[in-house]
Amino acid sequence: MRQFLKYVLATLTGLVLFAVVGFLVLFAVAISAAKSDKDVSVASNSVLEIKLNKPVSERESRDSFAALFSSQADNTGLDQLKATIRRAKNDDDIKGIFLNVELVQAGMASLEEIRDALLDFKKSGKFVVAYSDISSEKSYYLSSVADKLYLNPQGSLEFNGLSSETYYYKNLFNKLGIEPYIFRVGSFKSAVEPYFRENMSDSARLQTSSFLNSLNNFMLQHVAAARKIAPARLKVISDSMLVHNADDAKRLGLVTDLGYYDEALDFMKSKVGIAKKSRLSLVSLDDYSKDIDENTSSNNRIAVIYAEGDIVTGKGGNDNIGSTRFADAIRKARLDDKVKAVVLRVNSPGGSSLASDIIYREVALTKAVKPIVCSMSDVAASGGYFIAMACDTIVAHPNTITGSIGVFGVLPNIQPLLRDKLGITTDRVTTGKFSDQPTITRPLTEFEKQQLQKEVDRIYADFTTKAAKGRHMPVERLKRFASGRVWSGTEAKQRGLVDVLGSFDDAMRIAARRAHLKGDDYSIQRLPRQKTMFESVFSGISEEVRMRMVKQEMGPLYPLYEQYKTLSTMSGVQARMPFELNIQ
């Protein structure tokens, strides 16, 4: 009887789990079908509304299953957004764009891409109107292109310059009983400083101040051009923090009008020629951007490979750059005779030096048989620069964060934590003097430290040698710009680390020209292939979804957890940004 009940219980449990999974599958399919079948009718005299209330990434996620578990799973694809704005420019039913933005979640280079698309849209003679209750520095930078810029009379506008803050964990490690062993090359390779310092080193402060001011000056120049205010005057307004409220923003010319949401709508009604009492047809970005396909029927292809996130060994996931998956994608593009050129779109702070080198090798092999151009996005530093440096041409935005040619290694000794905090001791038996290497449960000997540092030095020498070859300059000259130092795109161009200051579209034009393709006589092949909804369903809740749920629960404490996860997954020598950069 007991055995019978056990089988019955197991059967019931299986049926319940099957029903739950089946329900989720059907629900996900229904949502996906509803989205794909939704036929959005665009009325005449419509206005495209762009809210940007989701994070902006290089590509829009196709993981509909992930969206069931967390609103954070949703994102706005930069490529899709730009294509949508181009579509609106040529759509006679769309008369203008309404920028309803407040706290934009995007990097500086991504903002520049969107801003350029809006400026191109205005060439059609159509209007751009912006409205915000509260405007962050980034949001205002984007909105500054508008013909009319409304700010809530009781709202606020941030215009006081850029800042970057770094967390330091030395005291935390001391309390926990964790002793980090640091191995690095270059005084500017400060990625490991948070683990043994309480504040920035002089070199870290120098480089951060340099590229942050470069980004800020670039932003001020473009706002000045849009708002017709002298850059020097904007600099005074920003540095003196003269904007305290909406009245200040209007008085200083940063916005054109103080008004409420309905007043912005009324203005747009007058622009499209309808009465105030009529309803303005606002078309949402999500609805209007459905199924945009700009590809032609040409047999010629340009493969665009999106490399976004940390660089890791193995296959990786949709939110990072797995060496196996990306090497396969580049190899596929290289061996496909229909692919005439490749554009490598990089948005990465780096990661594993081994993984970076695996991808670098495929880039170098591709360069030998067809044009390959790198387009740097918000960040292409350290390992992100490593995978780019073999390309024929490197294109970066003036406000791209790049360079950081350097490597480091971290090996924690947790023996004090185990022994003094947890009462745990360890012992070992080995067949050789170094059989337990690498280990984190005992201190390293001086000889072991020396050997690990030699390995870091060797990898740095390989990095700089390959970078010098790719940049066609002597190694000693290249090393003057290395040592882990970070540069803005403008600074990198001055030092020969990038070839062209421009956008993704500029990189595409260069690739087409190098492949001798005429005009738009090519289609775009986007790689690597993203995981579909069905693949997500049948592989279970992905790691990406789990992390998004953790992020939502932890809120402002998530960056600390993220640092812990990053440290715990650093395998081998790292080619990574000097710190977690968060520009505000």
Side-chain angles (χ1 to χ4, degrees), residues 409-440:
V410 180
L411 189 65
N413 170 28
I414 66 169
Q415 186 185 69
L417 168 65
L418 296 176
R419 183 189 60 217
D420 302 334
K421 308 295 183 181
L422 302 177
I424 299 173
T425 58
T426 61
D427 202 353
R428 56 182 50 78
V429 175
T430 63
T431 60
K433 190 174 181 179
F434 306 108
S435 298
D436 63 342
Q437 276 295 311
T439 179
I440 62 172

PDB file of all heavy atoms in Angstrom, residues 409-440:
ATOM      1  N   GLY A 409      44.688  39.760 -12.710  1.00  0.00           N
ATOM      2  CA  GLY A 409      44.190  38.519 -12.121  1.00  0.00           C
ATOM      3  C   GLY A 409      43.932  38.730 -10.645  1.00  0.00           C
ATOM      4  O   GLY A 409      44.641  39.502  -9.988  1.00  0.00           O
ATOM      5  N   VAL A 410      42.922  38.078 -10.120  1.00  0.00           N
ATOM      6  CA  VAL A 410      42.593  38.156  -8.690  1.00  0.00           C
ATOM      7  C   VAL A 410      42.414  36.748  -8.166  1.00  0.00           C
ATOM      8  O   VAL A 410      41.718  35.929  -8.760  1.00  0.00           O
ATOM      9  CB  VAL A 410      41.297  38.955  -8.450  1.00  0.00           C
ATOM     10  CG1 VAL A 410      40.983  39.020  -6.960  1.00  0.00           C
ATOM     11  CG2 VAL A 410      41.399  40.352  -9.028  1.00  0.00           C
ATOM     12  N   LEU A 411      43.072  36.430  -7.044  1.00  0.00           N
ATOM     13  CA  LEU A 411      42.911  35.141  -6.390  1.00  0.00           C
ATOM     14  C   LEU A 411      42.714  35.384  -4.901  1.00  0.00           C
ATOM     15  O   LEU A 411      43.642  35.821  -4.214  1.00  0.00           O
ATOM     16  CB  LEU A 411      44.137  34.253  -6.633  1.00  0.00           C
ATOM     17  CG  LEU A 411      43.998  32.792  -6.189  1.00  0.00           C
ATOM     18  CD1 LEU A 411      42.931  32.085  -7.026  1.00  0.00           C
ATOM     19  CD2 LEU A 411      45.326  32.067  -6.326  1.00  0.00           C
ATOM     20  N   PRO A 412      41.509  35.168  -4.371  1.00  0.00           N
ATOM     21  CA  PRO A 412      41.273  35.442  -2.954  1.00  0.00           C
ATOM     22  C   PRO A 412      41.764  34.307  -2.059  1.00  0.00           C
ATOM     23  O   PRO A 412      41.686  33.127  -2.424  1.00  0.00           O
ATOM     24  CB  PRO A 412      39.756  35.564  -2.884  1.00  0.00           C
ATOM     25  CG  PRO A 412      39.260  34.682  -3.985  1.00  0.00           C
ATOM     26  CD  PRO A 412      40.295  34.770  -5.083  1.00  0.00           C
ATOM     27  N   ASN A 413      42.266  34.672  -0.902  1.00  0.00           N
ATOM     28  CA  ASN A 413      42.599  33.702   0.148  1.00  0.00           C
ATOM     29  C   ASN A 413      41.516  33.809   1.207  1.00  0.00           C
ATOM     30  O   ASN A 413      41.426  34.814   1.923  1.00  0.00           O
ATOM     31  CB  ASN A 413      43.975  34.017   0.739  1.00  0.00           C
ATOM     32  CG  ASN A 413      44.244  33.177   1.982  1.00  0.00           C
ATOM     33  OD1 ASN A 413      43.731  32.073   2.131  1.00  0.00           O
ATOM     34  ND2 ASN A 413      45.048  33.719   2.901  1.00  0.00           N
ATOM     35  N   ILE A 414      40.674  32.776   1.330  1.00  0.00           N
ATOM     36  CA  ILE A 414      39.563  32.825   2.277  1.00  0.00           C
ATOM     37  C   ILE A 414      39.848  32.027   3.554  1.00  0.00           C
ATOM     38  O   ILE A 414      38.934  31.777   4.336  1.00  0.00           O
ATOM     39  CB  ILE A 414      38.258  32.328   1.625  1.00  0.00           C
ATOM     40  CG1 ILE A 414      38.348  30.846   1.280  1.00  0.00           C
ATOM     41  CG2 ILE A 414      37.913  33.162   0.402  1.00  0.00           C
ATOM     42  CD1 ILE A 414      37.006  30.241   0.874  1.00  0.00           C
ATOM     43  N   GLN A 415      41.118  31.656   3.752  1.00  0.00           N
ATOM     44  CA  GLN A 415      41.451  30.895   4.961  1.00  0.00           C
ATOM     45  C   GLN A 415      41.043  31.625   6.246  1.00  0.00           C
ATOM     46  O   GLN A 415      40.454  31.013   7.144  1.00  0.00           O
ATOM     47  CB  GLN A 415      42.951  30.574   4.997  1.00  0.00           C
ATOM     48  CG  GLN A 415      43.340  29.653   6.151  1.00  0.00           C
ATOM     49  CD  GLN A 415      44.844  29.450   6.223  1.00  0.00           C
ATOM     50  OE1 GLN A 415      45.577  30.374   6.557  1.00  0.00           O
ATOM     51  NE2 GLN A 415      45.300  28.251   5.889  1.00  0.00           N
ATOM     52  N   PRO A 416      41.324  32.962   6.381  1.00  0.00           N
ATOM     53  CA  PRO A 416      40.886  33.661   7.601  1.00  0.00           C
ATOM     54  C   PRO A 416      39.368  33.632   7.784  1.00  0.00           C
ATOM     55  O   PRO A 416      38.882  33.533   8.911  1.00  0.00           O
ATOM     56  CB  PRO A 416      41.396  35.087   7.386  1.00  0.00           C
ATOM     57  CG  PRO A 416      42.537  34.939   6.440  1.00  0.00           C
ATOM     58  CD  PRO A 416      42.146  33.830   5.518  1.00  0.00           C
ATOM     59  N   LEU A 417      38.622  33.720   6.680  1.00  0.00           N
ATOM     60  CA  LEU A 417      37.162  33.655   6.767  1.00  0.00           C
ATOM     61  C   LEU A 417      36.716  32.298   7.292  1.00  0.00           C
ATOM     62  O   LEU A 417      35.882  32.207   8.206  1.00  0.00           O
ATOM     63  CB  LEU A 417      36.554  33.918   5.387  1.00  0.00           C
ATOM     64  CG  LEU A 417      35.056  33.623   5.223  1.00  0.00           C
ATOM     65  CD1 LEU A 417      34.229  34.549   6.100  1.00  0.00           C
ATOM     66  CD2 LEU A 417      34.630  33.746   3.760  1.00  0.00           C
ATOM     67  N   LEU A 418      37.279  31.242   6.730  1.00  0.00           N
ATOM     68  CA  LEU A 418      36.896  29.899   7.141  1.00  0.00           C
ATOM     69  C   LEU A 418      37.295  29.618   8.596  1.00  0.00           C
ATOM     70  O   LEU A 418      36.486  29.131   9.395  1.00  0.00           O
ATOM     71  CB  LEU A 418      37.537  28.864   6.221  1.00  0.00           C
ATOM     72  CG  LEU A 418      37.112  28.884   4.743  1.00  0.00           C
ATOM     73  CD1 LEU A 418      37.918  27.870   3.949  1.00  0.00           C
ATOM     74  CD2 LEU A 418      35.622  28.608   4.609  1.00  0.00           C
ATOM     75  N   ARG A 419      38.538  29.965   8.937  1.00  0.00           N
ATOM     76  CA  ARG A 419      39.071  29.612  10.260  1.00  0.00           C
ATOM     77  C   ARG A 419      38.552  30.530  11.360  1.00  0.00           C
ATOM     78  O   ARG A 419      38.043  30.062  12.386  1.00  0.00           O
ATOM     79  CB  ARG A 419      40.601  29.669  10.213  1.00  0.00           C
ATOM     80  CG  ARG A 419      41.299  29.246  11.516  1.00  0.00           C
ATOM     81  CD  ARG A 419      42.790  29.553  11.433  1.00  0.00           C
ATOM     82  NE  ARG A 419      42.998  30.996  11.216  1.00  0.00           N
ATOM     83  CZ  ARG A 419      43.962  31.501  10.454  1.00  0.00           C
ATOM     84  NH1 ARG A 419      44.806  30.690   9.822  1.00  0.00           N
ATOM     85  NH2 ARG A 419      44.096  32.804  10.304  1.00  0.00           N
ATOM     86  N   ASP A 420      38.658  31.846  11.170  1.00  0.00           N
ATOM     87  CA  ASP A 420      38.365  32.792  12.246  1.00  0.00           C
ATOM     88  C   ASP A 420      36.895  33.160  12.356  1.00  0.00           C
ATOM     89  O   ASP A 420      36.400  33.464  13.438  1.00  0.00           O
ATOM     90  CB  ASP A 420      39.186  34.075  12.054  1.00  0.00           C
ATOM     91  CG  ASP A 420      40.683  33.801  12.009  1.00  0.00           C
ATOM     92  OD1 ASP A 420      41.112  32.786  12.599  1.00  0.00           O
ATOM     93  OD2 ASP A 420      41.411  34.586  11.368  1.00  0.00           O
ATOM     94  N   LYS A 421      36.179  33.155  11.211  1.00  0.00           N
ATOM     95  CA  LYS A 421      34.769  33.559  11.229  1.00  0.00           C
ATOM     96  C   LYS A 421      33.816  32.371  11.299  1.00  0.00           C
ATOM     97  O   LYS A 421      32.768  32.445  11.941  1.00  0.00           O
ATOM     98  CB  LYS A 421      34.439  34.394   9.988  1.00  0.00           C
ATOM     99  CG  LYS A 421      35.367  35.581   9.736  1.00  0.00           C
ATOM    100  CD  LYS A 421      35.260  36.621  10.816  1.00  0.00           C
ATOM    101  CE  LYS A 421      36.158  37.822  10.494  1.00  0.00           C
ATOM    102  NZ  LYS A 421      36.091  38.863  11.548  1.00  0.00           N
ATOM    103  N   LEU A 422      34.182  31.273  10.623  1.00  0.00           N
ATOM    104  CA  LEU A 422      33.272  30.139  10.525  1.00  0.00           C
ATOM    105  C   LEU A 422      33.738  28.914  11.286  1.00  0.00           C
ATOM    106  O   LEU A 422      32.990  27.949  11.419  1.00  0.00           O
ATOM    107  CB  LEU A 422      33.067  29.765   9.042  1.00  0.00           C
ATOM    108  CG  LEU A 422      32.523  30.879   8.138  1.00  0.00           C
ATOM    109  CD1 LEU A 422      32.446  30.401   6.693  1.00  0.00           C
ATOM    110  CD2 LEU A 422      31.162  31.349   8.622  1.00  0.00           C
ATOM    111  N   GLY A 423      34.975  28.952  11.790  1.00  0.00           N
ATOM    112  CA  GLY A 423      35.493  27.817  12.547  1.00  0.00           C
ATOM    113  C   GLY A 423      35.801  26.603  11.702  1.00  0.00           C
ATOM    114  O   GLY A 423      35.765  25.466  12.194  1.00  0.00           O
ATOM    115  N   ILE A 424      36.115  26.808  10.437  1.00  0.00           N
ATOM    116  CA  ILE A 424      36.401  25.714   9.513  1.00  0.00           C
ATOM    117  C   ILE A 424      37.884  25.719   9.189  1.00  0.00           C
ATOM    118  O   ILE A 424      38.463  26.750   8.871  1.00  0.00           O
ATOM    119  CB  ILE A 424      35.585  25.861   8.217  1.00  0.00           C
ATOM    120  CG1 ILE A 424      34.087  25.829   8.522  1.00  0.00           C
ATOM    121  CG2 ILE A 424      35.954  24.766   7.210  1.00  0.00           C
ATOM    122  CD1 ILE A 424      33.216  26.134   7.317  1.00  0.00           C
ATOM    123  N   THR A 425      38.500  24.547   9.273  1.00  0.00           N
ATOM    124  CA  THR A 425      39.900  24.410   8.868  1.00  0.00           C
ATOM    125  C   THR A 425      39.995  23.407   7.719  1.00  0.00           C
ATOM    126  O   THR A 425      39.081  22.616   7.498  1.00  0.00           O
ATOM    127  CB  THR A 425      40.781  23.930  10.032  1.00  0.00           C
ATOM    128  OG1 THR A 425      40.276  22.671  10.527  1.00  0.00           O
ATOM    129  CG2 THR A 425      40.787  24.951  11.166  1.00  0.00           C
ATOM    130  N   THR A 426      41.098  23.484   6.986  1.00  0.00           N
ATOM    131  CA  THR A 426      41.293  22.570   5.859  1.00  0.00           C
ATOM    132  C   THR A 426      42.656  21.895   5.978  1.00  0.00           C
ATOM    133  O   THR A 426      43.572  22.400   6.633  1.00  0.00           O
ATOM    134  CB  THR A 426      41.245  23.315   4.510  1.00  0.00           C
ATOM    135  OG1 THR A 426      42.289  24.281   4.470  1.00  0.00           O
ATOM    136  CG2 THR A 426      39.906  24.016   4.329  1.00  0.00           C
ATOM    137  N   ASP A 427      42.779  20.750   5.355  1.00  0.00           N
ATOM    138  CA  ASP A 427      44.057  20.045   5.261  1.00  0.00           C
ATOM    139  C   ASP A 427      44.089  19.377   3.902  1.00  0.00           C
ATOM    140  O   ASP A 427      43.061  19.229   3.243  1.00  0.00           O
ATOM    141  CB  ASP A 427      44.189  19.027   6.394  1.00  0.00           C
ATOM    142  CG  ASP A 427      45.644  18.663   6.682  1.00  0.00           C
ATOM    143  OD1 ASP A 427      46.514  19.116   5.910  1.00  0.00           O
ATOM    144  OD2 ASP A 427      45.890  17.953   7.657  1.00  0.00           O
ATOM    145  N   ARG A 428      45.272  18.993   3.446  1.00  0.00           N
ATOM    146  CA  ARG A 428      45.370  18.470   2.093  1.00  0.00           C
ATOM    147  C   ARG A 428      46.492  17.449   1.969  1.00  0.00           C
ATOM    148  O   ARG A 428      47.436  17.425   2.767  1.00  0.00           O
ATOM    149  CB  ARG A 428      45.605  19.620   1.103  1.00  0.00           C
ATOM    150  CG  ARG A 428      46.826  20.460   1.439  1.00  0.00           C
ATOM    151  CD  ARG A 428      47.037  21.622   0.482  1.00  0.00           C
ATOM    152  NE  ARG A 428      45.892  22.449   0.236  1.00  0.00           N
ATOM    153  CZ  ARG A 428      45.424  23.389   1.073  1.00  0.00           C
ATOM    154  NH1 ARG A 428      46.037  23.597   2.256  1.00  0.00           N
ATOM    155  NH2 ARG A 428      44.375  24.110   0.783  1.00  0.00           N
ATOM    156  N   VAL A 429      46.369  16.613   0.952  1.00  0.00           N
ATOM    157  CA  VAL A 429      47.415  15.677   0.549  1.00  0.00           C
ATOM    158  C   VAL A 429      47.685  15.935  -0.922  1.00  0.00           C
ATOM    159  O   VAL A 429      46.757  16.011  -1.726  1.00  0.00           O
ATOM    160  CB  VAL A 429      46.986  14.217   0.757  1.00  0.00           C
ATOM    161  CG1 VAL A 429      48.050  13.265   0.214  1.00  0.00           C
ATOM    162  CG2 VAL A 429      46.732  13.930   2.231  1.00  0.00           C
ATOM    163  N   THR A 430      48.942  16.091  -1.297  1.00  0.00           N
ATOM    164  CA  THR A 430      49.294  16.374  -2.688  1.00  0.00           C
ATOM    165  C   THR A 430      50.385  15.426  -3.164  1.00  0.00           C
ATOM    166  O   THR A 430      51.146  14.869  -2.362  1.00  0.00           O
ATOM    167  CB  THR A 430      49.794  17.821  -2.852  1.00  0.00           C
ATOM    168  OG1 THR A 430      50.988  17.993  -2.083  1.00  0.00           O
ATOM    169  CG2 THR A 430      48.751  18.819  -2.359  1.00  0.00           C
ATOM    170  N   THR A 431      50.455  15.275  -4.480  1.00  0.00           N
ATOM    171  CA  THR A 431      51.512  14.448  -5.059  1.00  0.00           C
ATOM    172  C   THR A 431      52.717  15.271  -5.467  1.00  0.00           C
ATOM    173  O   THR A 431      53.757  14.729  -5.835  1.00  0.00           O
ATOM    174  CB  THR A 431      50.989  13.692  -6.284  1.00  0.00           C
ATOM    175  OG1 THR A 431      50.555  14.637  -7.255  1.00  0.00           O
ATOM    176  CG2 THR A 431      49.842  12.771  -5.913  1.00  0.00           C
ATOM    177  N   GLY A 432      52.567  16.584  -5.437  1.00  0.00           N
ATOM    178  CA  GLY A 432      53.669  17.473  -5.801  1.00  0.00           C
ATOM    179  C   GLY A 432      53.568  18.770  -5.025  1.00  0.00           C
ATOM    180  O   GLY A 432      52.558  19.062  -4.364  1.00  0.00           O
ATOM    181  N   LYS A 433      54.596  19.558  -5.093  1.00  0.00           N
ATOM    182  CA  LYS A 433      54.678  20.784  -4.300  1.00  0.00           C
ATOM    183  C   LYS A 433      53.583  21.777  -4.660  1.00  0.00           C
ATOM    184  O   LYS A 433      53.103  22.537  -3.811  1.00  0.00           O
ATOM    185  CB  LYS A 433      56.050  21.427  -4.517  1.00  0.00           C
ATOM    186  CG  LYS A 433      56.350  22.578  -3.581  1.00  0.00           C
ATOM    187  CD  LYS A 433      57.779  23.062  -3.765  1.00  0.00           C
ATOM    188  CE  LYS A 433      58.095  24.213  -2.817  1.00  0.00           C
ATOM    189  NZ  LYS A 433      59.501  24.679  -2.977  1.00  0.00           N
ATOM    190  N   PHE A 434      53.134  21.769  -5.925  1.00  0.00           N
ATOM    191  CA  PHE A 434      52.151  22.756  -6.368  1.00  0.00           C
ATOM    192  C   PHE A 434      50.863  22.098  -6.877  1.00  0.00           C
ATOM    193  O   PHE A 434      50.118  22.694  -7.652  1.00  0.00           O
ATOM    194  CB  PHE A 434      52.742  23.636  -7.471  1.00  0.00           C
ATOM    195  CG  PHE A 434      54.039  24.290  -7.082  1.00  0.00           C
ATOM    196  CD1 PHE A 434      55.242  23.871  -7.632  1.00  0.00           C
ATOM    197  CD2 PHE A 434      54.055  25.315  -6.147  1.00  0.00           C
ATOM    198  CE1 PHE A 434      56.438  24.460  -7.267  1.00  0.00           C
ATOM    199  CE2 PHE A 434      55.244  25.916  -5.774  1.00  0.00           C
ATOM    200  CZ  PHE A 434      56.447  25.481  -6.325  1.00  0.00           C
ATOM    201  N   SER A 435      50.586  20.891  -6.424  1.00  0.00           N
ATOM    202  CA  SER A 435      49.433  20.154  -6.934  1.00  0.00           C
ATOM    203  C   SER A 435      48.098  20.810  -6.599  1.00  0.00           C
ATOM    204  O   SER A 435      47.101  20.563  -7.279  1.00  0.00           O
ATOM    205  CB  SER A 435      49.441  18.714  -6.389  1.00  0.00           C
ATOM    206  OG  SER A 435      50.589  18.028  -6.813  1.00  0.00           O
ATOM    207  N   ASP A 436      48.064  21.631  -5.562  1.00  0.00           N
ATOM    208  CA  ASP A 436      46.791  22.233  -5.163  1.00  0.00           C
ATOM    209  C   ASP A 436      46.573  23.609  -5.787  1.00  0.00           C
ATOM    210  O   ASP A 436      45.635  24.325  -5.424  1.00  0.00           O
ATOM    211  CB  ASP A 436      46.700  22.341  -3.638  1.00  0.00           C
ATOM    212  CG  ASP A 436      47.768  23.258  -3.061  1.00  0.00           C
ATOM    213  OD1 ASP A 436      48.762  23.524  -3.770  1.00  0.00           O
ATOM    214  OD2 ASP A 436      47.603  23.699  -1.912  1.00  0.00           O
ATOM    215  N   GLN A 437      47.432  23.986  -6.711  1.00  0.00           N
ATOM    216  CA  GLN A 437      47.271  25.290  -7.362  1.00  0.00           C
ATOM    217  C   GLN A 437      46.281  25.199  -8.517  1.00  0.00           C
ATOM    218  O   GLN A 437      46.320  24.230  -9.293  1.00  0.00           O
ATOM    219  CB  GLN A 437      48.625  25.785  -7.880  1.00  0.00           C
ATOM    220  CG  GLN A 437      49.456  26.494  -6.846  1.00  0.00           C
ATOM    221  CD  GLN A 437      48.794  27.782  -6.393  1.00  0.00           C
ATOM    222  OE1 GLN A 437      48.365  28.605  -7.193  1.00  0.00           O
ATOM    223  NE2 GLN A 437      48.693  27.944  -5.098  1.00  0.00           N
ATOM    224  N   PRO A 438      45.391  26.190  -8.685  1.00  0.00           N
ATOM    225  CA  PRO A 438      45.196  27.345  -7.802  1.00  0.00           C
ATOM    226  C   PRO A 438      44.315  26.981  -6.605  1.00  0.00           C
ATOM    227  O   PRO A 438      43.419  26.143  -6.732  1.00  0.00           O
ATOM    228  CB  PRO A 438      44.489  28.348  -8.711  1.00  0.00           C
ATOM    229  CG  PRO A 438      43.696  27.497  -9.652  1.00  0.00           C
ATOM    230  CD  PRO A 438      44.520  26.259  -9.879  1.00  0.00           C
ATOM    231  N   THR A 439      44.577  27.595  -5.473  1.00  0.00           N
ATOM    232  CA  THR A 439      43.787  27.346  -4.274  1.00  0.00           C
ATOM    233  C   THR A 439      43.406  28.662  -3.620  1.00  0.00           C
ATOM    234  O   THR A 439      44.130  29.652  -3.734  1.00  0.00           O
ATOM    235  CB  THR A 439      44.581  26.482  -3.275  1.00  0.00           C
ATOM    236  OG1 THR A 439      43.782  26.288  -2.106  1.00  0.00           O
ATOM    237  CG2 THR A 439      45.890  27.149  -2.876  1.00  0.00           C
ATOM    238  N   ILE A 440      42.268  28.666  -2.940  1.00  0.00           N
ATOM    239  CA  ILE A 440      41.827  29.871  -2.242  1.00  0.00           C
ATOM    240  C   ILE A 440      41.732  29.621  -0.737  1.00  0.00           C
ATOM    241  O   ILE A 440      41.247  30.475   0.004  1.00  0.00           O
ATOM    242  CB  ILE A 440      40.462  30.355  -2.763  1.00  0.00           C
ATOM    243  CG1 ILE A 440      39.379  29.301  -2.516  1.00  0.00           C
ATOM    244  CG2 ILE A 440      40.548  30.717  -4.241  1.00  0.00           C
ATOM    245  CD1 ILE A 440      37.969  29.798  -2.832  1.00  0.00           C
TER     246      ILE A 440
END
